[in-house]
Amino acid sequence: MSLPANIQRSDFGTLPDGRPVSCYRITNASGIELRVTDYGGIILSLKTPDRQGRFDDIVLGFDSLADYLSPAYRQANPYFGALIGRYANRIGGAEFSLEGQCYRLVSNDGANSLHGGDPGFDRCLWQADTFVEARGSGLVLSRVSDDGEAGYPGRLSVRVRYLLGDDDSLEIAYHAETTRATPVNLTQHSYFNLRGEGNGDVLDHRLMLAAGAYTPVDEQLIPGGEIAPVVGTPFDFTTLTAIGARLAQHHPQLVRAGGYDHNFVLDGDEADNQGLRVAAQVVEAESGRVLEVATSEPGIQFYAGNALDGTLRGKAGQPYRRHAGLALETQHFPDSPHQPAFPGTILQPGEVYRSRTRYRFSCLAASD
């Protein structure tokens, strides 16, 4: 079947077991270009214009499958651009109890399970199908996570829809159904640098989070159930604030996480006519680029790339050093299976998991 003119498929390499991997290049009416691979649902690149009309790639990642499969990447495992599941963020002790049974997960973050364990959805090959609709074009990725995969119960059928809109937005819609009760918490793990990937750090990016509270963590970055106000702390991003403005403050939470790596509790403001509420805004003054995030989720994990250490080199050939990019992972809260006061994440048979997040791209006026 031939593809629409604005969608191109190309080979992206071969997995060790011989399965071929593809890359899909999608452009919108403004020339914004999205490249996605069916391996891990990874967003490989996202090119958007600055205030002068110059297009730059604003997400961290690589140009080859070999880089994503390399031992160096697997050891660091920053999840560049990947789909995350079954459970985004951490589950303490890599276990949980459900309906009287204890389930042991794969521990891949010390004693804890992070981003679905191993294999997580980021290391799986997905079925890819393209589509075109009135709002834009995109890709539907689907797979079945077998009962017991990475320790999780139930056969989980998952569908994720990437829509690159002609309104200069990228909308990601998640859908899942299960045969047994199981925790589900899906997200996307792109790292953004609005100046362009490989072009310095993001500490002067200004960030707004529509969150008056966050969930503090212990030394293993597991929340204890507290929902703490951000006012008077380095976690107050309720107005646009430079990411690096308060990093030097000796706050216990910044010390524990090595910087920002925390779940923020989104305010309950009224949703728009698509059921989404404002979650975040990022502004980069030099390029003029603006990123706005809206979501149906109750939380957002702000991660400032604390663990990047220059070992990995990106598409421009530059090393990704600390704070080379920031992630804004819309989600339910970490460790929710152990925290009954947090919004629930258990999906039951007969129910449908639905989640949507929209990233909108724009630029400041030349005079701003």
Side-chain angles (χ1 to χ4, degrees):
M1 180 181 296
S2 61
L3 296 176
N6 67 321
I7 303 178
Q8 298 176 354
R9 192 205 70 82
S10 59
D11 294 335
F12 194 61
T14 304
L15 294 175
D17 61 9
R19 288 178 296 167
V21 177
S22 297
C23 170
Y24 294 84
R25 176 181 175 270
I26 305 167
T27 56
N28 77 348
S30 304
I32 290 176
E33 178 190 291
L34 171 71
R35 292 174 63 240
V36 181
T37 175
D38 49 9
Y39 175 71
I42 295 170
I43 293 178
L44 299 170
S45 70
L46 180 59
K47 295 180 180 178
T48 68
D50 65 10
R51 57 156 59 98
Q52 305 300 328
R54 170 181 165 173
F55 282 77
D56 291 301
D57 186 355
I58 62 169
V59 296
L60 276 56
F62 308 116
D63 278 329
S64 75
L65 178 64
D67 286 321
Y68 290 100
L69 299 178
S70 71
Y73 182 76
R74 294 215 165 190
Q75 181 175 358
N77 207 8
Y79 301 92
F80 288 154
L83 285 178
I84 302 298
R86 288 189 188 188
Y87 198 95
N89 219 305
R90 294 171 173 85
I91 293 182
E95 58 80 27
F96 64 89
S97 294
L98 181 60
E99 298 179 344
Q101 185 171 345
C102 181
Y103 294 93
R104 292 292 307 173
L105 307 175
V106 175
S107 55
N108 61 334
D109 182 54
N112 308 308
S113 180
L114 174 64
H115 291 331
D118 191 5
F121 286 2
D122 59 299
R123 294 186 179 178
C124 297
L125 188 63
W126 295 67
Q127 170 67 41
D129 297 285
T130 61
F131 69 90
V132 177
E133 61 176 46
R135 292 189 296 155
S137 305
L139 195 68
V140 176
L141 297 167
S142 56
R143 72 176 300 265
V144 173
S145 175
D146 289 333
D147 188 2
E149 183 176 84
Y152 287 90
R155 188 173 188 266
L156 190 74
S157 300
V158 184
R159 187 170 70 248
V160 181
R161 188 175 187 266
Y162 288 147
L163 168 65
L164 181 60
D166 288 329
D167 62 351
D168 296 344
S169 70
L170 171 61
E171 182 179 296
I172 305 175
Y174 308 83
H175 178 284
E177 297 180 73
T178 185
T179 59
R180 297 172 62 193
T182 190
V184 181
N185 188 24
L186 308 180
T187 195
Q188 221 289 332
H189 207 299
S190 285
Y191 291 68
F192 296 94
N193 185 325
L194 299 187
R195 197 179 293 113
E197 67 88 25
N199 192 5
D201 62 44
V202 296
L203 296 183
D204 60 353
H205 285 44
R206 290 182 294 152
L207 172 68
M208 184 282 297
L209 296 172
Y214 76 113
T215 52
V217 295
D218 63 16
E219 290 77 6
Q220 297 185 58
L221 305 188
I222 304 297
E226 179 187 7
I227 294 178
V230 300
V231 63
T233 77
F235 297 88
D236 188 350
F237 286 95
T238 51
T239 59
L240 282 170
T241 303
I243 289 171
R246 295 170 297 203
L247 266 176
Q249 292 187 20
H250 196 72
H251 190 282
Q253 288 293 309
L254 291 178
V255 173
R256 286 178 181 177
Y260 293 110
D261 189 7
H262 294 78
N263 171 66
F264 286 76
V265 180
L266 294 175
D267 297 332
D269 294 338
E270 185 174 346
D272 64 16
N273 58 9
Q274 296 183 17
L276 307 181
R277 57 183 174 179
V278 173
Q281 182 184 56
V282 186
V283 177
E284 202 285 304
E286 181 180 332
S287 66
R289 289 188 179 92
V290 178
L291 167 63
E292 296 173 293
V293 184
T295 188
S296 61
E297 288 294 297
I300 188 167
Q301 184 85 6
F302 166 41
Y303 175 54
N306 312 320
L308 300 176
D309 61 3
T311 301
L312 303 173
R313 289 182 177 269
K315 290 161 281 190
Q318 299 300 314
Y320 287 151
R321 297 190 172 91
R322 194 173 190 214
H323 309 308
L326 67 102
L328 295 168
E329 307 152 57
T330 55
Q331 61 177 9
H332 271 57
F333 302 171
D335 203 39
S336 290
H338 294 132
Q339 304 296 340
F342 285 179
T345 56
I346 304 302
L347 180 67
Q348 297 285 348
E351 297 178 344
V352 177
Y353 172 97
R354 291 185 177 92
S355 174
R356 289 169 60 232
T357 293
R358 182 182 64 228
Y359 303 91
R360 191 180 300 280
F361 310 99
S362 61
C363 282
L364 301 172
S367 58
D368 292 341

